Amino acid sequence: MKTKQLVFLTCLFLILAVCGSFAQQAPTVTIKAYQWSQPDGTARYEYRVVNGGTSRIVGFAIGNDYYHGVSELQVPPSGWNFDTGLALGSSASPTSWHAALVTTEESPFMDLEWRNDGTADILAGQNATGFSIVTPQPDSKYLNGHWTV
């Protein structure tokens, strides 16, 4: 009987060890957000995308809870207009990347997306900076809301 218990415990230990090593090796993608309050009352948010994963990043969204299908941002970027989009100077992007505000029908909430033209993917192991947006007033979801890559 002790041999069966020893074999069982050994197998259990090996399974847990293998699962634990997979969990430790899981690649991660992180978006680091920073906020600066401007003298005129506006808020500037900057983002750094860290690709610790194995796939390339072609776009990402701020204020987007993908798993629940919910947008979270309440304050649109400075000068944003439904017909004309983002105002000149309210956003910044690295070369070949473009920002757009995505509204949700019949909802006051929105999210902010950056996509590239296919020539500037963020490859595995790379970082990208230069993403920023200015809002007329602070909205904490730009800083600590969900994001989707």
Side-chain angles (χ1 to χ4, degrees):
M1 185 69 135
K2 290 194 181 235
T3 304
K4 287 183 183 179
Q5 287 177 337
L6 183 59
V7 169
F8 173 76
L9 289 175
T10 302
C11 289
L12 182 60
F13 174 76
L14 290 173
I15 289 170
L16 291 174
V18 168
C19 290
S21 69
F22 283 134
Q24 292 173 1
Q25 296 175 6
T28 59
V29 173
T30 305
I31 296 182
K32 299 183 182 219
Y34 308 91
Q35 177 185 353
W36 283 271
S37 297
Q38 306 298 308
D40 63 358
T42 61
R44 179 179 188 83
Y45 298 92
E46 294 186 8
Y47 302 95
R48 177 178 170 202
V49 181
V50 180
N51 188 355
T54 58
S55 300
R56 60 185 57 225
I57 297 173
V58 299
F60 65 96
I62 301 297
N64 179 277
D65 184 351
Y66 174 81
Y67 291 106
H68 294 103
V70 176
S71 295
E72 301 173 323
L73 305 178
Q74 294 182 321
V75 177
S78 294
W80 177 82
N81 178 292
F82 186 79
D83 295 321
T84 58
L86 292 174
L88 195 61
S90 67
S91 69
S93 306
T95 302
S96 300
W97 285 82
H98 307 282
L101 190 71
V102 178
T103 58
T104 304
E105 190 173 333
E106 298 183 21
S107 170
F109 299 99
M110 59 208 91
D111 62 80
L112 182 65
E113 292 185 357
W114 270 277
R115 297 203 179 272
N116 81 73
D117 63 9
T119 64
D121 297 351
I122 304 169
L123 303 178
Q126 289 184 336
N127 297 308
T129 59
F131 304 98
S132 70
I133 194 76
V134 176
T135 60
Q137 63 198 44
D139 179 350
S140 65
K141 294 298 183 177
Y142 280 93
L143 187 61
N144 58 27
H146 290 90
W147 51 266
T148 302
V149 174

